[in-house]
Amino acid sequence: TYDVCEVRPGPNLNMIVGANGTGKSSIVCAICLGLAGKPSFIGRADKVGLFVKQGCLKGVLEIELSKTPDNIIITREIQVVNNTSAWFINRKPTTLKTVEEQIAALNIQVDNLCQFLPQDRVGEFAKLSKIELLEATEKSVGPPEMYRFHCELKNFREKERELEVNMHIREIESSDCRGISIIKFDIRCYRIRRWHLFTKSNLCRDKTNSLEKMRQRIERYKQDVDRYHERKRHLDLIEMLERKRPWVEYENVRQQHEKVKQSRDQAKEEVKNLKEMQSPVTKKIQETEDCFKSLDMKIRDKAAEIKEISQKCKQKQDALEVKDKQIEEIHQSLRMKKDEEMDRQRRIHNTHKMIEDWKNELNTIAVCENLQPQTDAVNNELKELQEERANIDSDISDLRTEKMNQTREQKRIIDRLEQLNNMMNMKEENLKGRFQDTYSALMWLRKNKDKFKNKVCEPMMLEINMKDNRHAKYIENHVSGNDMRAFVFESLEDMEMFLAEMRDHQKLRVNAVCAPAQSCAESLPSRPIEELHRYGFFSYLRELFDAPHPVMSYLCSQYRIHDVPVGTEKTRNMIERVIQETKLKQIYTAEEKYVLKVSAYTNLTLSTNTALRAAQFLTSSVNTDERRQLENQQQDILNTLKSLDTHLATLFERQKQLDHRDNELRQKKKELLERQNRRRQLESKIAVKYDSLKQLEQDAIDLEKESQQANVKIKEINIQKARLVTELMHLIKNCISMNILKADLVLQSAVVAAEKNKLESEYKAASVQLKAAEQRYHDLDDKKRVLTENSKELLKKARQVCKLSPDQQLPKEFQTAFQALPSTLEEIDAFLNEEKTRASCLTGLNASVVEEYNKQTQEIEQLTKYLEEKKNELDNYKQNISQVKERWLNPLKKLIEQINEKFSNFFNSMQCVGEVDLHVENEEEYDKYGIRIRVKFHSSTELRELTPYHQSGGEKSVS
C-alpha cells in the first residue's frame, strides 16, 4: 500500500488499532525487524525479503529510540535478491550483534509476547503456560533483578534437592557398609548388597553386632585367604618368568647382531679395495675429459671467428646492393625528367589549340541582342509569386496554431473523462470486492441489454451521483443496503426474466426492484424547503444527487426522498422545537437521523435517533452533466480539427504549385544571364591561357646537362663498388683459412673422444663389480641396523618389564632370581605354561577381600567428614534461598496485584470478570511458580482459567 511511511508514536505506545488493510502490520513488522527481531517473531513469513513491497528490490527501515544523553537511530537495509540485511547505527555501518547489544541495553524484547504481541501471534499468547507467562512478565515489566532472582532461586533449590538426596544415600551407606560390604567376594556380590542398601534403609545399624558378624565371617573364610596367598606365590613366579623372558630374547638378538656386524666390516673392506683399484682409471678418464673440453672450446672459438667474418662479408654484400640501387635511382631520375619535358611540350601544343578554338568561337558570336525586357518580366513574376507564398505561409502558421490549441483542449477533455471513468471504475471495484454476485450480474447485463424491452438501470450505487460527496452518508443511511446494490427495471416482465436468469441459470444471489408505473420522480414535497430554513434545513434528500429517471422514481416512491429534509448542527441544537413545530416523520441533522412516530394509544410523538454511518459506496460519484458536456465538447473539437486539416491540405497543394513555378522562372532567368556573360567568359579564358602558356615556356628542362650530371654520379659510385669488392675478397680468404683450422681441431677432438669412450667402458666393467660389493655391504648394514633397533626395543621392553630406567643396571636381586630360572626361551615358555595352569586352578579369589578390610576404617572416617561438610553446605543453601526469596517474592506479588487490579477493571468495564494471580503448587518448588489468568464472559458461567481450549478465539484475543 505504501512506498514511504513515517510514524511518530508518543512516549507510551501501547496498542495499534485500525481497520483491515490500513497498515497496522506494516508498523508492527517495521518495529520488530528494525529492532533485530526475527521474522518468526511476527508469524507471517520466514524470510526478511518477503516483507519488502512487491516489485521493489530493496526496503529500508529506520527507527529512532529515545535514550539519554543522545537518541540512537537504527537503520536496516533489506535486499530482496539474496535475502540479506545491512545495519547502521546513527548512519554508520555496524553489525547485527552490536545492534542486539544496544537494544538489550534498553530492555527491548521483541520476542517476548508480554512486551510485543503481533496480531498473528495472539493465539500463541493463549498457549503460554503459567510458568512461561510468569517468566515473560518478569522480563517485560518487572525490575531487571526480578528475573535474575527467580533464576537464582531455581538454581539454589536444584542444588538443595541434590544435597538432600545425596545425604540420604550417604546415611544409609555409612550405617550399613561397615557391617556388610566387608564380606563381599567379587564385584557382582558387592553390587547386589549395595542395591539392598539403597532399597532397604531399615537394615541393622548397630556397630557391635556388625563387627561381630564381620569377625565370624573372616574366620570362616580363612582358607580362602590361604588359597589366595598360594595363588599369589604362583603369580609372583609367573611375573618373574615374564620378566626374564625379554632379557633372554634380547641376548639372542644381540649375538646375531655381532655376527652380522663382522660380515658387514669385511664387505666394507672389499669395497675400499675395489675403489682404490679404480682410482687410476678415473684419473685418466678425467684427463681425457679435460683435453676433450679444451679442444671443444677451441672449436667454439674458431666457429665464433668464422661467424664474425661471415657477418662482415654479408655487410659488404649489402653495401654493394645499396650502391647498385643508387645507380638505378639516378637512371630513374633521368628518365623522369625526360618524361616531364615531353609532357611540357604536349601541354604547350594543347594550350595553343584551345586558344585558337576560343578565338574562332569569339569571332562567330554576333553582337548580343537585347535580353533586358525578358529579364524584367521574369523578375516581376517572381516577385508576385513570393508575395503569394508569404500569405500562404502566414495562413498555414495561423491554422497550425489553431490546431495546436484545439489538440491541447482535446487532451484536457480526454484526461478529465479518464478521471471520471476511473471514479466509475472505483465504484465498480468496490462493488466487485463487496458483492461478487452483483458484479457478475452487472457484467452479464452489459452484454445482454438487447434482450430487454425497456430500459434497465445498473445497481443504484453505480447510478447515483452525488453533487457533494460529503452528503453521501445521508443517502446511504436512508436507503437500505439491499436496494443500494439492486438493479432497477421499468418493466415487471423484464425484472422477472432477469431474476430467472440470474437465480436459476447463473446461480447468483442478486436484488432487483421495479420502478412504479406512474413516475414519482417529480413529486413535490409537503412544504417548500424555504419554510424550513429557520430550523437549519438546507435541502431535501432528492436535491443532493442525480440519478436516472427510473431510479429517482423508485426512491421517491419507496423512501420519499423528496419529502425528507437534511439539516445542520443548528437543527440538532433545536431538535425538540423542530419535532414539535414541523411534525416531520423523518429528518437528518449533521450527524444523526431522527424517526418520528405518533403513539396510537397516547397520541404522543415518539422519536428515535441513530448516529449516521460513514459512507461506503457513493463517495466516488461521477457528475453525469459534466461528463455529457465534455463528450459534446470532444465531438465539436474533432469536427474543428477535421475542417482545419482540410484547409491545410488545400494550402499545402497551392504552396507546392507556387514552388514549381518559382523553380521554372529561376531557371529561365539563369539561362538569360548565361547568354549575356558568355563573351566576357571567353575573353577572360583566352587571357588566362596566354599566361599559362608563358609559364610553360619558361619551365623548359636541359636534358643534355642532366645526362652529364648523372654520368658523373654513376662513375663515383662505381669507384666505391670496386673498393668494396676488394675488401670482400680479403674477408673470404680469411674465412677459408679459419675453416681449415676448425676441421683440424674437429679431427683431434674425435681421436680424444674415442680414447675417452674406451676408458669409460673399462671403468663401467669395474663399476659393476664395485656396485655388487656395495650392495652386499648395504644389505648387511641394513640387517645390522634392523638388529640394532630390535636389540634396543627388546632391551627397552626388558627394562620396562622390570620397571628400570634407561641408565639403570639390572638389580642383583633380579640377577639372583634369574639364575634359579631356566636359561632358554623353550624352557622358560614350558615353565611359564605350567605355573599359569596351577594358578588357574585357584580361581574364585579376589584381592579386594583383603583390601576392603584394610580400607574399611579409613572409609568410615572419610564418610563422617563428608556428611558433615554436606550438612553445612545444605544449611548455607537454605539461608541463601530464604534471602533471595524475600527479595523476589514481595515485589512480584505487588506487581501481580497491580496487573490484577487493572485487568479486573478492564473486564468490569465490559460487564465481564477477570482475575490475575500468582499460582503456587508448592512454595519450595520455584520452577513451578506461574501466573494464572481466569476470565468469565457470561454471567451463567464461573471463572475459568484462560487456556487454548476452553475459550473462543475472540475471548482469547480480548483476554
Side-chain angles (χ1 to χ4, degrees):
T1 303
Y2 307 107
D3 290 313
V4 178
C5 180
E6 183 174 2
V7 180
R8 296 179 178 270
N12 297 306
L13 174 64
N14 194 14
M15 299 190 73
I16 301 174
V17 296
N20 290 345
T22 53
K24 299 188 302 299
S25 296
S26 297
I27 300 173
V28 172
C29 294
I31 292 174
C32 179
L33 299 179
L35 296 177
K38 299 178 181 178
S40 59
F41 296 168
I42 305 170
R44 290 208 163 197
D46 58 347
K47 297 179 180 178
V48 293
L50 297 176
F51 289 87
V52 178
K53 184 175 181 180
Q54 291 184 358
C56 298
L57 298 177
K58 183 177 78 171
V60 180
L61 300 171
E62 184 174 284
I63 297 180
E64 182 172 1
L65 296 175
S66 175
K67 184 180 179 183
T68 303
D70 297 318
N71 293 353
I72 62 172
I73 299 175
I74 299 175
T75 307
R76 180 177 189 174
E77 293 185 359
I78 301 173
Q79 301 291 340
V80 176
V81 177
N82 51 8
N83 207 56
T84 58
S85 298
W87 292 92
F88 303 85
I89 292 182
N90 294 332
R91 310 285 192 270
K92 296 180 180 179
T94 186
T95 62
L96 174 61
K97 185 177 180 181
T98 304
V99 175
E100 289 175 342
E101 291 172 354
Q102 290 280 357
I103 291 169
L106 296 173
N107 196 31
I108 295 175
Q109 306 165 20
V110 291
D111 58 339
N112 189 337
L113 295 181
C114 284
Q115 189 180 98
F116 182 81
L117 181 59
Q119 179 176 336
D120 297 306
R121 299 187 67 194
V122 169
E124 295 184 27
F125 179 85
K127 295 178 183 178
L128 290 178
S129 66
K130 293 186 286 290
I131 299 171
E132 293 171 334
L133 196 57
L134 174 60
E135 292 180 355
T137 304
E138 289 175 334
K139 293 178 184 177
S140 61
V141 296
E145 67 275 4
M146 178 176 286
Y147 180 68
R148 179 167 55 83
F149 286 158
H150 191 184
C151 294
E152 290 179 2
L153 278 174
K154 291 189 283 187
N155 293 334
F156 286 154
R157 177 55 185 160
E158 184 65 25
K159 292 288 186 180
E160 182 186 26
R161 193 182 296 113
E162 291 177 2
L163 288 171
E164 288 175 346
V165 173
N166 203 2
M167 287 190 65
H168 179 65
I169 294 173
R170 288 295 181 178
E171 287 175 0
I172 297 175
E173 287 183 343
S174 64
S175 61
D176 294 341
C177 284
R178 288 192 294 263
I180 295 174
S181 62
I182 192 64
I183 64 172
K184 57 189 180 300
F185 297 104
D186 55 22
I187 299 299
R188 181 172 56 187
C189 179
Y190 177 63
R191 288 174 179 168
I192 291 172
R193 295 189 180 279
R194 285 180 61 85
W195 173 254
H196 284 288
L197 290 174
F198 293 142
T199 55
K200 298 181 179 180
S201 59
N202 56 353
L203 293 175
C204 179
R205 301 181 185 182
D206 185 71
K207 292 182 181 180
T208 305
N209 294 337
S210 297
L211 289 174
E212 183 64 27
K213 290 179 181 179
M214 180 180 64
R215 293 192 188 98
Q216 293 175 3
R217 285 170 183 147
I218 290 174
E219 183 66 25
R220 199 163 49 241
Y221 294 112
K222 187 175 184 302
Q223 184 179 359
D224 290 337
V225 175
D226 294 340
R227 291 178 68 236
Y228 170 79
H229 287 301
E230 182 181 357
R231 184 172 182 272
K232 184 72 168 57
R233 285 193 297 273
H234 288 297
L235 292 177
D236 291 342
L237 184 58
I238 291 171
E239 182 181 2
M240 190 57 67
L241 286 169
E242 289 177 343
R243 285 178 175 175
K244 181 177 180 178
R245 192 178 190 285
W247 287 99
V248 175
E249 288 180 331
Y250 162 71
E251 184 62 25
N252 292 340
V253 173
R254 190 187 65 77
Q255 293 176 1
Q256 293 180 19
H257 173 267
E258 291 298 327
K259 293 179 182 178
V260 172
K261 182 180 179 184
Q262 293 177 2
S263 300
R264 187 204 67 163
D265 293 341
Q266 294 174 359
K268 184 177 182 180
E269 186 67 23
E270 183 182 357
V271 170
K272 181 180 179 183
N273 294 334
L274 288 174
K275 285 184 177 179
E276 290 176 352
M277 292 171 62
Q278 272 191 330
S279 180
V281 179
T282 305
K283 185 176 180 181
K284 195 169 184 180
I285 290 174
Q286 185 62 40
E287 292 174 353
T288 307
E289 179 71 25
D290 295 340
C291 181
F292 179 78
K293 289 181 178 179
S294 176
L295 289 171
D296 185 62
M297 185 63 67
K298 291 178 180 179
I299 291 170
R300 292 174 184 270
D301 293 340
K302 292 299 178 183
E305 292 178 3
I306 292 170
K307 183 177 180 181
E308 183 179 357
I309 295 172
S310 298
Q311 289 177 349
K312 291 180 179 180
C313 291
K314 180 69 169 57
Q315 293 173 357
K316 298 299 181 183
Q317 290 175 349
D318 293 342
L320 287 172
E321 291 178 359
V322 170
K323 296 302 179 182
D324 290 338
K325 288 182 180 180
Q326 291 177 353
I327 293 172
E328 180 61 31
E329 288 174 356
I330 292 171
H331 286 303
Q332 181 67 23
S333 176
L334 183 60
R335 284 194 297 272
M336 290 175 65
K337 289 184 182 300
K338 289 178 180 180
D339 294 339
E340 186 178 346
E341 178 61 20
M342 290 176 64
D343 182 63
R344 188 184 69 83
Q345 293 293 338
R346 184 172 60 256
R347 286 193 293 171
I348 290 173
H349 175 73
N350 292 336
T351 303
H352 279 298
K353 188 174 184 305
M354 289 175 66
I355 292 172
E356 189 66 27
D357 291 340
W358 286 343
K359 284 182 178 181
N360 293 334
E361 184 181 356
L362 189 61
N363 292 332
T364 58
I365 294 176
V367 179
C368 183
E369 65 270 17
N370 188 8
L371 300 176
Q372 191 61 37
Q374 298 180 29
T375 304
D376 292 342
V378 172
N379 286 335
N380 292 332
E381 190 173 353
L382 281 172
K383 185 176 180 181
E384 293 174 359
L385 284 175
Q386 288 175 356
E387 292 176 355
E388 187 176 356
R389 284 184 62 184
N391 294 331
I392 291 175
D393 290 341
S394 177
D395 293 343
I396 290 175
S397 178
D398 294 340
L399 290 174
R400 282 179 172 170
T401 302
E402 178 64 19
K403 183 178 179 180
M404 190 181 302
N405 293 334
Q406 293 292 331
T407 303
R408 192 180 297 112
E409 181 64 16
Q410 182 186 33
K411 185 177 184 304
R412 185 191 67 79
I413 292 172
I414 291 173
D415 292 343
R416 181 55 183 161
L417 286 172
E418 286 183 356
Q419 291 179 1
L420 296 176
N421 289 334
N422 288 338
M423 293 172 67
M424 179 59 73
N425 292 336
M426 289 172 58
K427 294 174 71 174
E428 291 180 6
E429 287 298 322
N430 192 6
L431 177 67
K432 181 179 179 181
R434 292 174 175 271
F435 312 109
Q436 181 63 46
D437 286 0
T438 305
Y439 179 79
S440 300
L442 175 63
M443 294 298 101
W444 181 89
L445 176 64
R446 290 179 177 176
K447 296 178 182 178
N448 299 275
K449 280 192 174 181
D450 55 336
K451 295 183 178 180
F452 301 97
K453 296 179 181 179
N454 299 301
K455 181 178 180 179
V456 181
C457 295
E458 295 179 354
M460 293 186 194
M461 61 182 290
L462 302 181
E463 297 285 8
I464 294 175
N465 291 298
M466 300 304 301
K467 296 177 180 179
D468 188 339
N469 288 338
R470 292 175 298 177
H471 300 153
K473 59 184 178 181
Y474 300 122
I475 307 302
E476 291 194 23
N477 279 272
H478 194 71
V479 180
S480 70
N482 288 335
D483 281 351
M484 286 297 293
R485 62 176 186 270
F487 295 84
V488 182
F489 293 82
E490 288 186 337
S491 165
L492 186 61
E493 180 182 355
D494 288 343
M495 184 181 75
E496 291 175 348
M497 183 183 75
F498 173 77
L499 290 176
E501 173 67 27
M502 292 299 103
R503 295 175 178 174
D504 298 340
H505 296 88
Q506 303 286 340
K507 304 300 182 184
L508 300 176
R509 299 175 62 183
V510 297
N511 297 332
V513 297
C514 185
Q518 185 175 357
S519 175
C520 299
E522 289 80 19
S523 299
L524 296 176
S526 59
R527 69 193 77 183
I529 191 64
E530 290 76 14
E531 296 181 8
L532 301 176
H533 282 172
R534 56 197 177 102
Y535 301 112
F537 294 105
F538 62 89
S539 175
Y540 287 105
L541 288 177
R542 181 175 62 183
E543 278 65 43
L544 297 180
F545 65 93
D546 294 323
H549 194 274
V551 175
M552 190 67 79
S553 178
Y554 174 78
L555 292 176
C556 288
S557 172
Q558 186 70 20
Y559 293 96
R560 297 189 60 79
I561 59 175
H562 61 283
D563 204 26
V564 178
V566 180
T568 60
E569 193 63 29
K570 177 181 178 181
T571 311
R572 172 69 181 84
N573 294 334
M574 55 188 305
I575 191 64
E576 293 183 1
R577 178 184 168 193
V578 172
I579 293 173
Q580 293 175 0
E581 295 180 3
T582 61
K583 305 300 183 181
L584 293 169
K585 294 183 178 180
Q586 292 188 68
I587 57 176
Y588 284 87
T589 64
E591 298 296 338
E592 292 178 323
K593 174 185 178 181
Y594 287 85
V595 179
L596 310 176
K597 294 182 180 179
V598 178
S599 173
Y601 301 99
T602 63
N603 204 28
L604 296 176
T605 301
L606 305 177
S607 66
T608 58
N609 65 310
T610 55
L612 298 181
R613 303 186 310 273
Q616 298 178 353
F617 307 117
L618 303 179
T619 53
S620 301
S621 297
V622 179
N623 192 328
T624 54
D625 291 340
E626 181 187 1
R627 183 172 181 176
R628 193 178 304 107
Q629 184 179 359
L630 289 173
E631 290 174 349
N632 293 335
Q633 291 178 4
Q634 185 181 20
Q635 186 60 42
D636 293 341
I637 290 173
L638 289 174
N639 295 334
T640 303
L641 289 174
K642 187 175 180 182
S643 175
L644 291 173
D645 289 339
T646 303
H647 196 182
L648 280 172
T650 304
L651 291 176
F652 286 142
E653 183 63 30
R654 179 57 183 162
Q655 190 181 46
K656 184 176 179 182
Q657 293 173 2
L658 292 176
D659 289 341
H660 181 68
R661 180 57 181 163
D662 182 88
N663 292 334
E664 290 178 349
L665 291 174
R666 290 183 184 278
Q667 183 63 29
K668 186 177 181 180
K669 181 179 178 180
K670 182 180 178 182
E671 291 174 357
L672 291 172
L673 293 175
E674 286 178 353
R675 287 170 62 186
Q676 291 177 356
N677 296 332
R678 180 59 179 169
R679 184 178 183 88
R680 290 193 296 270
Q681 288 177 354
L682 288 173
E683 291 173 351
S684 176
K685 286 181 178 180
I686 291 170
V688 172
K689 283 299 179 182
Y690 271 121
D691 293 338
S692 176
L693 185 61
K694 184 178 179 180
Q695 184 64 36
L696 287 172
E697 290 173 349
Q698 290 176 357
D699 294 338
I701 298 174
D702 188 353
L703 292 178
E704 185 176 355
K705 182 179 178 182
E706 294 291 336
S707 178
Q708 290 175 357
Q709 291 177 353
N711 289 333
V712 172
K713 292 180 180 178
I714 291 171
K715 186 176 180 180
E716 292 178 356
I717 293 173
N718 284 331
I719 292 170
Q720 295 173 3
K721 284 180 66 178
R723 192 183 305 115
L724 289 171
V725 169
T726 303
E727 293 175 355
L728 179 62
M729 293 303 296
H730 180 68
L731 290 171
I732 290 173
K733 288 179 181 179
N734 288 339
C735 185
I736 291 172
S737 63
M738 289 290 180
N739 278 312
I740 292 171
L741 291 174
K742 179 184 175 184
D744 185 42
L745 290 172
V746 170
L747 290 174
Q748 294 179 27
S749 176
V751 173
V752 173
E755 180 67 18
K756 177 187 170 187
N757 291 336
K758 179 181 177 182
L759 290 172
E760 287 178 346
S761 298
E762 294 175 356
Y763 179 81
K764 188 175 181 180
S767 296
V768 172
Q769 184 179 2
L770 177 61
K771 188 174 181 181
E774 288 178 339
Q775 183 63 39
R776 184 166 60 258
Y777 167 75
H778 288 311
D779 292 343
L780 290 171
D781 189 57
D782 292 341
K783 188 173 181 181
K784 172 185 170 293
R785 191 182 303 107
V786 171
L787 289 172
T788 301
E789 293 296 329
N790 290 342
S791 298
K792 290 180 180 179
E793 289 294 327
L794 290 173
L795 179 60
K796 182 179 179 181
K797 180 179 177 182
R799 290 181 180 278
Q800 289 177 347
V801 170
C802 295
K803 299 180 180 179
L804 301 176
S805 61
D807 55 350
Q808 185 179 0
Q809 296 295 329
L810 188 66
K812 290 185 178 180
E813 59 268 19
F814 280 178
Q815 295 179 10
T816 304
F818 287 172
Q819 290 177 358
L821 297 176
S823 57
T824 64
L825 288 176
E826 292 78 7
E827 292 174 348
I828 289 174
D829 290 339
F831 198 10
L832 191 60
N833 290 332
E834 181 180 351
E835 289 300 316
K836 286 182 178 179
T837 302
R838 290 178 178 178
S840 64
C841 295
L842 300 172
T843 59
L845 303 176
N846 198 320
S848 61
V849 175
V850 180
E851 293 174 1
E852 283 293 333
Y853 179 79
N854 296 330
K855 293 179 182 179
Q856 204 55 228
T857 303
Q858 183 180 359
E859 181 179 349
I860 293 171
E861 292 176 357
Q862 292 175 351
L863 182 59
T864 304
K865 183 179 179 182
Y866 175 80
L867 289 172
E868 189 67 26
E869 291 175 355
K870 291 300 177 181
K871 185 176 183 299
N872 294 334
E873 186 176 354
L874 180 59
D875 293 340
N876 291 333
Y877 270 116
K878 289 183 177 180
Q879 184 178 359
N880 290 336
I881 289 173
S882 176
Q883 294 174 356
V884 175
K885 180 179 179 181
E886 183 178 356
R887 297 165 65 188
W888 168 72
L889 191 57
N890 293 336
L892 177 62
K893 288 181 177 179
K894 292 181 180 178
L895 177 64
I896 294 177
E897 287 174 2
Q898 295 175 5
I899 296 174
N900 177 55
E901 181 180 355
K902 294 183 179 180
F903 191 75
S904 299
N905 291 339
F906 288 140
F907 264 72
N908 289 337
S909 67
M910 298 184 295
Q911 285 76 48
C912 300
V913 180
E915 290 182 359
V916 177
D917 61 4
L918 182 65
H919 179 73
V920 181
E921 294 181 357
N922 183 351
E923 287 192 1
E924 303 301 325
E925 299 297 332
Y926 303 106
D927 55 346
K928 300 296 179 61
Y929 276 63
I931 286 183
R932 179 174 59 180
I933 301 175
R934 297 193 299 165
V935 292
K936 182 174 76 169
F937 286 91
H938 307 287
S939 58
S940 58
T941 61
E942 296 181 355
L943 275 172
R944 275 193 171 183
E945 185 177 343
L946 179 67
T947 66
Y949 315 107
H950 289 146
Q951 288 77 18
S952 66
E955 291 172 345
K956 286 186 286 188
S957 298
V958 169
S959 302

